[in-house]
Amino acid sequence: MKTMRLIAITGLFAIAACTDYDNPITTPTPPLATVLTATGNVTAKVDEFRNLLGPANGGTAGEQATGRREINWDGAGANPFNNRNDFPANFFNTTVKAGAVYTTSGTGFRNDSTSFADINPAYAQQFTFFSATKIFAPVGSNQLDQLFEVAGQPTPAVSRGFGIVFSDVDVAEKTTITLFAKDGSTIATLAAPIRSDAAGLSFVGVIYEQAIIARVRITLGTGSLGANVNDISAGGTADLVVFDNVIYGEPKSSF
Ligand SMILES: [Ca+2]
Ligand SMILES: [Ca+2]
């Protein structure tokens, strides 16, 4: 469905470029993308996405020729920061050299082993993991950005693909990833499908032929977590969403 929509948009741009004879400035054609989405048991689609990106490069320092990186939030190295609101933004390119750093307009990041029940006990009924047992969210915001760097180096980088597993998407078209190019222009926005089973997981991933993604804005539903904030499925007004695994193409130096 998402693939068809992207192709439809591409077609519109192509028509505009062909018929606009008076204007020498041609509208750039958006790059073709492969988009994968899943809801419910997302395992097969996540594996398909991993295979499309290539072999796992783990925490190997330095830019690798091919392959992918993945953050599952579960490693022992993160334990000192778990269930706190100060998870280091650059943990996954310093302690673990995976080429990912995060920013948020909120007040921090939280890597959580209790389905965020320490923030609000009701969350234990809302959120589940894809990879046992840690899941992640920004603090004080429902948005964060993932930027890419060459693994183990503070060198800006770009990636050819990005995929993410969400927990508890209840409202359509509100949990999204927006991809930005190196020049700051928007490449695309893609929505995750709503949850469809008791586990409540959703996946969206996108891959381009070239490494063109410099930044990914992750928008989690319509509200941020809080002691007195309940999910829309539990008497609240906001759709609260957190996430687990992020999978992305090998970060390549953008210079
Ligand atoms: Ca996990
Ligand atoms: Ca929700």
Side-chain angles (χ1 to χ4, degrees), residues 44-61:
K45 198 62 77 173
V46 171
D47 282 341
E48 182 182 346
F49 186 79
R50 287 170 173 145
N51 291 335
L52 285 172
L53 284 176
N57 295 329
T60 304

Side-chain angles (χ1 to χ4, degrees), residues 168 170 231 239-241:
D168 204 46
D170 291 296
D231 188 64
D239 181 19
L240 305 180
V241 176

Side-chain angles (χ1 to χ4, degrees), residues 8-253:
I9 293 170
T10 303
L12 283 176
F13 274 90
I15 291 166
C18 290
T19 54
D20 196 5
Y21 297 114
D22 297 326
N23 189 343
I25 301 171
T26 54
T27 305
T29 303
L32 285 173
T34 299
V35 178
L36 302 183
T37 61
T39 177
N41 186 346
V42 304
T43 301
K45 198 62 77 173
V46 171
D47 282 341
E48 182 182 346
F49 186 79
R50 287 170 173 145
N51 291 335
L52 285 172
L53 284 176
N57 295 329
T60 304
E63 182 177 317
Q64 306 301 302
T66 60
R68 62 184 154 86
R69 306 275 178 163
E70 179 163 356
I71 296 172
N72 62 21
W73 312 108
D74 305 319
N79 285 350
F81 305 103
N82 288 343
N83 306 322
R84 296 164 37 157
N85 292 335
D86 60 354
F87 190 88
N90 63 355
F91 183 92
F92 282 101
N93 208 30
T94 52
T95 305
V96 176
K97 295 169 176 58
V101 294
Y102 292 92
T103 64
T104 180
S105 59
T107 57
F109 305 98
R110 187 177 178 98
N111 194 34
D112 205 291
S113 66
T114 69
S115 297
F116 297 93
D118 288 350
I119 294 178
N120 180 334
Y123 293 166
Q125 306 303 316
Q126 299 298 331
F127 303 126
T128 52
F129 54 77
F130 175 65
S131 53
T133 58
K134 317 298 190 315
I135 48 181
F136 198 77
V139 179
S141 174
N142 71 325
Q143 284 189 323
L144 73 166
D145 289 3
Q146 179 172 327
L147 294 90
F148 302 102
E149 293 180 346
V150 174
Q153 302 168 23
T155 305
V158 286
S159 172
R160 64 184 289 250
F162 182 86
I164 179 168
V165 178
F166 294 103
S167 173
D168 204 46
V169 178
D170 291 296
V171 177
E173 307 295 331
K174 295 297 186 186
T175 292
T176 58
I177 55 173
T178 299
L179 317 172
F180 297 93
K182 189 168 58 173
D183 65 3
S185 62
T186 303
I187 302 168
T189 294
L190 301 161
I194 61 171
R195 61 177 296 165
S196 60
D197 68 4
L201 299 174
S202 306
F203 175 75
V204 60
V206 58
I207 297 176
Y208 295 93
E209 288 188 11
Q210 305 294 326
I212 59 172
I213 308 167
R215 179 166 62 94
V216 180
R217 171 151 296 180
I218 301 161
T219 300
L220 302 160
T222 62
S224 52
L225 308 184
N228 300 309
V229 182
N230 284 335
D231 188 64
I232 194 169
S233 65
T237 57
D239 181 19
L240 305 180
V241 176
V242 302
F243 65 102
D244 200 348
N245 296 44
V246 292
I247 305 152
Y248 46 97
E250 176 68 16
K252 301 280 192 174
S253 172

